[in-house]
């Protein structure tokens, strides 16, 4: 079949995302760093025969120092946008004490992004907390919104000039469930009650921060929501599906979208809905990434069309694949973009796509082995950056603003 040319809207943003803790290195003042070095975590890794250095962020990709090289590569790959994370733990190392040095650092980082022609999305919270904040109970604390907003307000004053879009909190639903329900991320709790409390405090924190950001900067604001495509399984009722949709996608969105100027969508997986709305990663019938997650590009299209009801511009703030051999990344990107294009044809106001991730990085509990990067980080060779073949294919799309499919 002859290939079709699928054009994207004028001024579409093309780029890739990263987060602070996952690439910078030495985020030593954070709860994630403390967790990685806790006796319990280390013993657990050793019992499983793992090398600690593969599961501790350490110097990560050293992007704290090598950011300019990373942005230069993004520019070389025809990207016109980037999403970075800044670390609260660096900026406010002690409660109420803001580090000029770190604010200057992030100013330089953003200046560099701009000098490389990149529109900037800045995430203010991506899973990691300052230690002092986690000692106060983090988002379990009823003052958490106020504490977060104070930090956001300082950042708004200092980094506004080089920021085009703000993302307040990355994946509140993942943060809350992994940290307070499933016991996987610090502080490792398993409590439905605490999860609900944290979710509601995150909602309040976002709404407070969004108001400040708008007032001080006037720039567009969103959360980065991880949204799922849900498929009812067989006999399961409408009620289970409705419940899953509500818990997975709508509870937080409905309570925060009012203070958002756009919707930041992180899309990875498609889920089957089980009884009581419990979700299961769908794996059958699909190709899988290196982490065993099923690949389901149609789901992204369906999701984007569903989001039309909110009547806001949409930016895809993450979508990516762990593929160390770079065997299916090109196809992954093209298949997802095919459905993004189809959703745009159906009226979804999608204005940008940021692949996750620009470079291989520290993949939280999995350590360094899952490879999401357009650019490989060679950990055996001084963290050398090596552009993957799929990145050059994505670069063609970024340049042409169309997909040949
Ligand atoms: C998170 C990233 C993570 C990616 C791949 C997203 O949900 O925001 O931090 O690296 O998933 O697991």
């Amino acid at each position: 079949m002859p290939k079709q040319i699928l054009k994207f809207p004028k001024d579409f943003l093309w780029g890739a995302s990263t987060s602070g803790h996952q690439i910078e290195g030495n985020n030593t003042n954070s709860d994630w760093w403390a967790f990685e070095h806790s006796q319990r975590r280390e013993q657990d890794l050793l019992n499983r025969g793992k090398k600690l250095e593969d599961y501790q962020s350490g110097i990560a990709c050293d992007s704290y120092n090598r950011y300019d090289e990373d942005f230069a590569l993004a520019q070389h790959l025809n990207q016109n946008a980037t999403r970075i994370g800044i670390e609260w733990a660096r900026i406010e190392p002690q409660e109420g004490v803001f580090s000029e040095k770190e604010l200057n650092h992030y100013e330089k980082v953003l200046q560099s992004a701009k000098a490389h022609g990149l529109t900037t999305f800045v995430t203010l919270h991506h899973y990691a907390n300052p230690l002092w904040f986690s000692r106060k109970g983090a988002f379990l604390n009823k003052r958490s919104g106020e504490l977060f907003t104070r930090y956001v307000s300082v950042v708004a004053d200092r980094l506004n000039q080089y920021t085009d879009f703000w993302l307040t909190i990355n994946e509140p639903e993942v943060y809350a469930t992994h940290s307070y329900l499933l016991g996987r991320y610090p502080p490792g709790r398993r409590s439905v009650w605490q999860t609900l409390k944290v979710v509601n405090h995150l909602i309040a924190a976002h709404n407070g921060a969004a108001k400040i950001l708008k007032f001080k900067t006037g720039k567009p604001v969103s959360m980065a929501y991880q949204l799922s495509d849900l498929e009812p399984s067989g006999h399961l009722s409408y009620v289970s599906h409705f419940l899953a949709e509500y818990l997975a996608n709508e509870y937080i969105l409905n309570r925060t979208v009012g203070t958002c100027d756009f919707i930041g969508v992180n899309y990875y997986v498609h889920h089957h809905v089980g009884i009581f709305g419990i979700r299961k990663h769908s794996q059958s019938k699909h190709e899988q990434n290196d982490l065993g997650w099923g690949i389901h590009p149609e789901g992204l299209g369906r999701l984007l069309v569903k989001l039309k009801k909110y009547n806001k511009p949409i930016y895809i703030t993450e979508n990516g694949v762990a593929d160390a051999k770079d065997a299916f990344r090109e196809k992954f990107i093209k298949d997802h973009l095919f459905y993004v294009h189809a959703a745009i044809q159906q009226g979804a106001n999608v204005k940008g796509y940021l692949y996750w991730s620009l470079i291989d990085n520290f993949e939280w509990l999995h350590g360094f082995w899952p490879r999401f990067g357009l650019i490989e980080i060679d950990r055996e060779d001084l963290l050398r950056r090596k552009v993957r073949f799929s990145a050059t294919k994505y670069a063609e799309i970024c340049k042409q603003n169309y997909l040949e499919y």
Side-chain angles (χ1 to χ4, degrees):
M1 222 172 72
K3 289 199 167 172
Q4 329 163 51
I5 303 283
L6 305 175
K7 289 193 184 144
F8 282 78
K10 191 170 161 280
D11 300 327
F12 200 79
L13 294 182
W14 295 105
S17 295
T18 57
S19 90
H21 189 80
Q22 292 179 273
I23 64 167
E24 289 174 345
N26 293 322
N27 188 23
T28 55
N29 215 0
S30 66
D31 58 349
W32 260 89
W33 184 277
F35 163 75
E36 290 159 31
H37 293 84
S38 64
Q39 211 189 357
R40 191 153 159 222
R41 172 72 173 158
E42 289 192 345
Q43 202 50 57
D44 174 51
L45 289 167
L46 293 172
N47 292 346
R48 289 192 281 133
K50 308 285 187 198
K51 278 204 233 143
L52 295 184
E53 74 210 50
D54 293 342
Y55 291 84
Q56 292 176 331
S57 51
I59 196 172
C61 311
D62 195 23
S63 293
Y64 187 85
N65 298 306
R66 294 174 72 162
Y67 57 86
D68 191 65
E69 187 183 346
D70 296 342
F71 293 139
L73 283 166
Q75 181 179 35
H76 171 73
L77 291 168
N78 304 323
Q79 299 179 14
N80 60 14
T82 190
R83 173 181 168 206
I84 65 155
I86 61 172
E87 285 299 332
W88 184 6
R90 292 188 194 278
I91 293 177
E92 191 178 354
Q94 289 167 43
E95 187 176 353
V97 179
F98 292 89
S99 163
E100 270 307 298
K101 176 177 162 276
E102 298 295 350
L103 286 162
N104 284 336
H105 165 77
Y106 283 122
E107 199 165 52
K108 282 205 225 112
V109 172
L110 287 165
Q111 279 168 352
S112 153
K114 286 278 160 201
H116 289 290
L118 302 168
T119 293
T120 54
F121 288 73
V122 174
T123 315
L124 295 149
H125 184 278
H126 197 125
Y127 298 168
N129 293 305
L131 268 178
W132 65 263
F133 181 69
S134 81
R135 288 190 187 119
K136 281 184 164 301
F139 286 97
L140 268 179
N141 187 319
K142 59 175 186 305
R143 285 190 57 227
S144 52
E146 187 192 313
L147 297 169
F148 179 65
T149 306
R150 180 176 59 183
Y151 145 72
V152 170
S153 168
V154 171
V155 172
D157 288 336
R158 278 301 296 276
L159 303 181
N160 177 31
Q161 196 184 343
Y162 308 103
T163 302
D164 299 304
F165 294 85
W166 298 106
L167 290 161
T168 53
I169 296 169
N170 182 69
E171 300 183 347
E173 51 300 290
V174 175
Y175 170 83
T177 52
H178 282 55
S179 306
Y180 293 92
L181 186 66
L182 304 171
R184 292 189 190 141
Y185 291 179
R189 305 274 166 76
R190 287 168 195 267
S191 152
V192 174
W193 170 241
Q194 290 190 356
T195 307
L196 290 173
K197 216 165 161 184
V198 166
V199 163
N200 288 314
H201 288 163
L202 289 166
I203 290 169
H206 160 82
N207 287 330
K211 282 183 198 143
I212 290 278
L213 288 165
K214 262 187 267 182
F215 177 71
K216 290 200 163 186
T217 75
K219 305 276 172 67
V221 181
S222 178
M223 278 182 148
Y225 300 94
Q226 190 181 99
L227 300 175
S228 178
D229 177 51
L230 302 166
E231 187 181 313
S233 315
H235 62 284
L236 283 159
S237 66
Y238 177 75
V239 177
S240 289
H241 187 69
F242 177 81
L243 193 64
E245 187 71 47
Y246 183 69
L247 293 177
N249 292 339
E250 293 192 345
Y251 183 86
I252 297 180
L253 193 53
N254 289 345
R255 285 164 178 73
T256 49
V257 77
T259 53
C260 289
D261 305 291
F262 66 99
I263 302 181
V265 175
N266 294 0
Y267 175 81
Y268 289 89
V269 284
H270 165 76
H271 286 107
H272 287 289
V273 178
I275 199 139
F276 303 129
I278 292 169
R279 292 177 286 155
K280 254 177 63 193
H281 269 219
S282 81
Q283 280 155 341
S284 56
K285 300 188 293 186
H286 308 303
E287 287 169 48
Q288 292 175 17
N289 77 6
D290 293 352
L291 284 158
W293 304 352
I295 298 175
H296 199 84
E298 311 83 296
L300 177 56
R302 267 198 296 266
L303 178 65
L304 295 171
V305 171
K306 259 193 239 160
L307 292 175
K308 264 168 50 176
K309 69 178 179 197
Y310 293 103
N311 210 10
K312 307 251 168 172
I314 300 169
Y315 290 87
I316 294 159
T317 39
E318 285 184 33
N319 172 235
V321 69
D323 173 20
K325 296 197 180 122
D326 205 30
F328 40 86
R329 186 172 285 101
E330 177 189 352
K331 180 169 178 339
F332 176 98
I333 294 174
K334 290 186 171 169
D335 288 350
H336 282 79
L337 287 176
F338 173 81
Y339 286 102
V340 172
H341 183 269
I344 295 173
Q345 299 307 106
Q346 291 170 66
N349 186 13
V350 186
K351 296 169 81 78
Y353 175 87
L354 299 161
Y355 175 83
W356 181 272
S357 176
L358 180 65
I359 54 181
D360 290 339
N361 56 37
F362 177 71
E363 187 48 44
W364 308 111
L365 289 184
H366 301 289
F368 288 105
W369 73 262
R371 302 293 185 130
F372 279 88
L374 291 170
I375 299 166
E376 179 190 344
I377 298 288
D378 189 342
R379 308 202 68 78
E380 307 296 314
D381 185 13
L382 305 170
L383 308 174
R384 186 189 297 273
R385 276 66 172 150
K386 297 179 175 169
V387 172
R388 291 198 164 102
F389 178 72
S390 57
T392 64
K393 303 309 281 178
Y394 178 50
E396 288 171 8
I397 301 169
C398 300
K399 181 165 180 194
Q400 295 159 342
N401 202 35
Y402 65 75
L403 166 72
E404 246 185 290
Y405 194 84

